[in-house]
Amino acid sequence: MSRSHTHVPGEVIEQACPLVEVLDHVAGKWSISILVAAARGPVRFTELERAIEGISRRMLTLNLRRLERDGLLTRTVYPTVPPKVEYSLTAMAQELYSYLTGLVEWAERHSGAIAHARAAYDTAAAPADPPRSQPERGRAQVPASSP
Amino acid sequence: MSRSHTHVPGEVIEQACPLVEVLDHVAGKWSISILVAAARGPVRFTELERAIEGISRRMLTLNLRRLERDGLLTRTVYPTVPPKVEYSLTAMAQELYSYLTGLVEWAERHSGAIAHARAAYDTAAAPADPPRSQPERGRAQVPASSP
DNA sequence: CTGGATCCTAAAGGATACTG
DNA sequence: CAGTATCCTTTAGGATCCAG
């Protein structure tokens, strides 16, 4: 995610709210997956690659570097002949992890509801042939207008 | 974020893990900001636009639609002459919000540490002129090799 | 006021080949 | 094994203009 929104030259507004901070670690398809995968102890590169299901070698490397840079992962390299590298969460990241599991748990509880909401929204918005023409995209509830 | 990782034609693996579910809502610069901004009650479009600081009209609309589609936001339109639309969190989203605040709180507590970690990483990796040439990018800790 | 439509740039991400 | 480097496609996102 690009820092700098429109980036007014001269006036640096960054670091204003901590929200942006979180987003930078949490956003992106892979960061969370990596943290979760690395949470159960030291994990090797290839283990992560296999555990994460769909991540490319490149993206894994990039995200690992970023997480290491931000102090969320420690990278330990053993100078053995086939090189061996292990990643672990820092204390800071373990704390973050506990919040993350809350998120995942939430997703598990509501994934059905979300899928249902999507289906409802989509069928309401794009029926192959609108039988009686409902121009309104969302079935927006219209309470009695007060003003 | 694109659904479909490599997308094996014929074998649809999607919806496998709930992690992907969360990521789709949490990832992206704006989703969290919008949920947080909308958490304190019904909020109008323009209020969100001003509250979020840096979001474009387009992105706000897009994200609102997505969140509505996923059942996280309800959109209520009042058919007044200058149209008025209010967005609120659904029950599901309010629950999510409580986890989100945990995340934000975490970010507040550790933003200093993160900034420090970044600075340390960057100075270790890219000094303008490496005085004695350290070829290793990260100062990787090297414990005694066991094998 | 609340968007939708369009155009364009930048960043994310994937595939693959190569290396210490 | 654990990456790097390169090339390429897709997506996110911004700017702007227009409309009910």
Side-chain angles (χ1 to χ4, degrees), chain A residues 101-139:
Chain A
T101 55
L103 240 53
V104 173
E105 186 220 337
W106 175 90
E108 281 167 349
R109 282 207 311 276
H110 297 287
S111 65
I114 292 174
H116 182 269
R118 269 184 210 172
Y121 186 98
D122 291 348
T123 55
D129 180 29
R132 221 167 306 282
S133 84
Q134 264 102 355
E136 301 304 316
R137 188 204 64 273
R139 65 274 82 101

Side-chain angles (χ1 to χ4, degrees), chain B residues 128-145:
Chain B
D129 180 29
R132 220 168 306 284
S133 83
Q134 264 101 356
E136 301 303 316
R137 186 203 67 273
R139 64 277 82 102
Q141 322 102 45
V142 180
S145 56

